[in-house]
Amino acid sequence: MEAHDHGLSHDLRAMSRELVARRRALAFLASAGTVVAVSACGGGDESSDGTTTTTTTATPTPTPTSTSTSSSSSSSSGGSTSSSCVADPTETNGPYPADGTNSSSGSTSNVLITSGVVRSDIRSSFIGSTTTADGVELTIELQLVDVNNSCSAIEGAAIYIWHCDADGRYSLYSSGVTTESYLRGVQVTDSDGKVTFTTIYPACYSGRWPHIHFEIFLDGLTSASTGRTADLISQLAMPAATNTAVFTGDTRYTASIANYNAVSISSDNVFGDNTSAEIAQMTPTMSGSLSAGYSASALIGIEV
């Protein structure tokens, strides 16, 4: 029997089932349309041609912060610390120390036990005479540090310096200045391990690179009574550029020109066997001019 021959009741039931199926289909299509619409409103950026482009946002990588380390920082004792240092080599105190280790032709062979030697300005004599040494003014700051303790500053140490005048003569020893005591003095290091001296630029005499002598006494003035008790005896090598400027630019140093042209750091009988690191530290950093004078600074490293 054909399906359309089942009667009215059968047809009504079939029509009802078909209507329900159509409603379900419409409901499904409506639901699918909603999903499409939601997808089209997502987080992607739309390109100009209407297509949807998905953009991935990367998580920013934090920029590392740099920590700057100063060349000088506070030490545990409140003083400053140098960023790097080497131990200054022991050098000869030479024939003109006036530190009690030899004899001089002057009024004393040991200025360390003479009243007035502790001073910052060492240009004038302080024993009998008050003559002031003539020459280009030089202010020099020295900082004493402990190479065995991260280059930390050493406070309370005594530093004795001495050097020749503009004619290459040493007070208390050289002919013509045996009654003078200028260009010699002692200072005690402060909390930063520093001392400052005002003096004149040393000349260049035959056979030696221009230099300044110094002795270190870690126990301070109590032990600074003779060079025999010094914890370090060494020298500073004056910088080449300033040597040339002073010797060729100031007539008071004319005699130094020929002597200076005949010597070099490598041929010098004191500095010649030192390492490049030692020479770099032993050579003061310099600024200034002939007319205004020069300012210098140098680090002195010692093993405590």
Side-chain angles (χ1 to χ4, degrees):
M1 182 180 292
E2 297 293 331
H4 55 268
D5 292 333
H6 290 171
L8 179 60
S9 61
H10 176 273
D11 291 340
L12 290 173
R13 288 194 297 271
M15 291 174 63
S16 177
R17 287 194 297 269
E18 183 178 355
L19 181 60
V20 170
R22 287 180 179 179
R23 287 176 177 172
R24 287 176 177 172
L26 289 172
F28 173 79
L29 290 175
S31 175
T34 301
V35 172
V36 171
V38 171
S39 298
C41 294
D45 294 331
E46 288 189 359
S47 63
S48 59
D49 61 3
T51 60
T52 301
T53 303
T54 301
T55 302
T56 302
T57 303
T59 302
T61 301
T63 302
T65 56
S66 60
T67 302
S68 176
T69 302
S70 173
S71 60
S72 293
S73 59
S74 294
S75 68
S76 58
S77 62
S80 62
T81 301
S82 176
S83 59
S84 63
C85 62
V86 296
D88 278 55
T90 296
E91 306 289 9
T92 177
N93 61 356
Y96 317 113
D99 62 356
T101 59
N102 68 4
S103 298
S104 73
S105 302
S107 57
T108 181
S109 58
N110 190 357
V111 297
L112 296 176
I113 58 174
T114 305
S115 176
V117 71
V118 180
R119 58 197 186 135
S120 177
D121 190 333
I122 65 172
R123 290 175 294 180
S124 298
S125 292
F126 64 99
I127 304 173
S129 170
T130 57
T131 300
T132 299
D134 193 24
V136 174
E137 184 173 329
L138 171 66
T139 300
I140 184 164
E141 178 187 83
L142 305 176
Q143 183 180 29
L144 183 64
V145 298
D146 181 2
V147 299
N148 288 335
N149 187 24
S150 303
C151 305
S152 59
I154 299 175
E155 181 179 6
I159 300 181
Y160 168 44
I161 75 167
W162 72 98
H163 61 84
C164 69
D165 62 17
D167 293 314
R169 303 172 301 177
Y170 283 87
S171 65
L172 297 172
Y173 290 87
S174 301
S175 176
V177 291
T178 56
T179 60
E180 306 299 343
S181 51
Y182 52 51
L183 309 182
R184 301 178 184 275
V186 175
Q187 283 281 286
V188 177
T189 58
D190 62 16
S191 60
D192 291 323
K194 295 179 178 180
V195 296
T196 301
F197 292 96
T198 301
T199 185
I200 65 167
Y201 205 86
C204 180
Y205 54 85
S206 180
R208 282 302 319 275
W209 184 267
H211 59 281
I212 293 176
H213 295 267
F214 66 85
E215 293 178 347
I216 305 297
F217 302 87
L218 293 176
D219 290 335
L221 296 177
T222 57
S223 62
S225 58
T226 172
R228 294 185 178 89
T229 61
D231 294 285
L232 174 66
I233 300 174
S234 195
Q235 301 179 24
L236 299 174
M238 305 310 290
T242 314
N243 292 339
T244 300
V246 171
F247 301 155
T248 61
D250 192 302
T251 56
R252 291 171 291 186
Y253 293 86
T254 301
S256 292
I257 297 175
N259 296 329
Y260 184 61
N261 289 336
V263 71
S264 66
I265 283 284
S266 59
S267 68
D268 185 77
N269 60 15
V270 171
F271 301 127
D273 60 352
N274 292 336
T275 67
S276 57
E278 290 170 340
I279 289 296
Q281 184 169 285
M282 298 167 78
T283 303
T285 299
M286 197 78 63
S287 63
S289 64
L290 284 174
S291 58
Y294 290 93
S295 294
S297 61
L299 198 68
I300 299 174
I302 188 171
E303 297 175 329
V304 178

